[in-house]
Amino acid sequence: EVRLVESGGGSVQAGGSLRLSCDVSGYGSFRNFIGWFRQAPGQEREGVASIYRYTEYTDYVDSVKGRFTISQDNARNTVYLQMNSLKPEDTAMYYCAGTLIVPNFSPRGGDPWPKTDEYKWWGQGTQVTVSS
């Protein structure tokens, strides 16, 4: 069974940094996507960043480009979200999620990134609070 466990949330002042970790277990292959999502009170869940673990293709929502970086460790057991230049509007519960196995993926070939409802397994979330 796939299991995802987030850690690393906390409270920081605007302009600060945090690194979130998502420990991934239970997959029999690295041919899948891990995404970071966030949800603020009263707002819809938003996709923040995604990585196709096999080739390390990455994708970001426009509002975090240049500030956030998604990556994985060498063993590909942990997916990170490095968040720099944090803003109060980044305050939310952050979740990591994983898709089913995707045997092949080529964004340059026009393959679409998975939608939120294609993520099957979800972690419990970690809170990020950015004060002004």
Side-chain angles (χ1 to χ4, degrees):
E1 181 180 354
V2 174
R3 187 163 181 256
L4 305 168
V5 181
E6 304 97 334
S7 61
S11 298
V12 296
Q13 290 192 326
S17 298
L18 283 174
R19 189 176 78 162
L20 305 184
S21 298
C22 175
D23 292 330
V24 182
S25 61
Y27 276 109
S29 166
F30 298 120
R31 295 180 184 263
N32 56 79
F33 294 87
I34 298 293
W36 282 100
F37 297 80
R38 64 187 179 187
Q39 188 167 21
Q43 297 188 20
E44 292 187 357
R45 187 168 293 183
E46 174 188 39
V48 174
S50 298
I51 185 168
Y52 182 61
R53 292 201 296 157
Y54 186 68
T55 54
E56 299 190 324
Y57 289 126
T58 59
D59 190 42
Y60 300 89
V61 68
D62 285 347
S63 61
V64 307
K65 285 180 180 177
R67 300 190 299 123
F68 290 11
T69 303
I70 189 170
S71 63
Q72 62 184 351
D73 67 340
N74 289 338
R76 294 187 277 194
N77 291 326
T78 302
V79 174
Y80 303 104
L81 186 67
Q82 178 67 45
M83 305 186 296
N84 299 328
S85 302
L86 282 162
K87 304 175 181 180
E89 51 263 44
D90 294 318
T91 295
M93 184 71 79
Y94 282 72
Y95 301 88
C96 65
T99 65
L100 294 171
I101 299 300
V102 178
N104 298 288
F105 176 69
S106 174
R108 298 187 185 93
D111 292 339
W113 287 85
K115 299 175 184 174
T116 301
D117 60 6
E118 295 179 79
Y119 285 83
K120 180 177 174 65
W121 295 281
W122 293 79
Q124 80 288 350
T126 187
Q127 178 67 38
V128 171
T129 302
V130 184
S131 58
S132 58

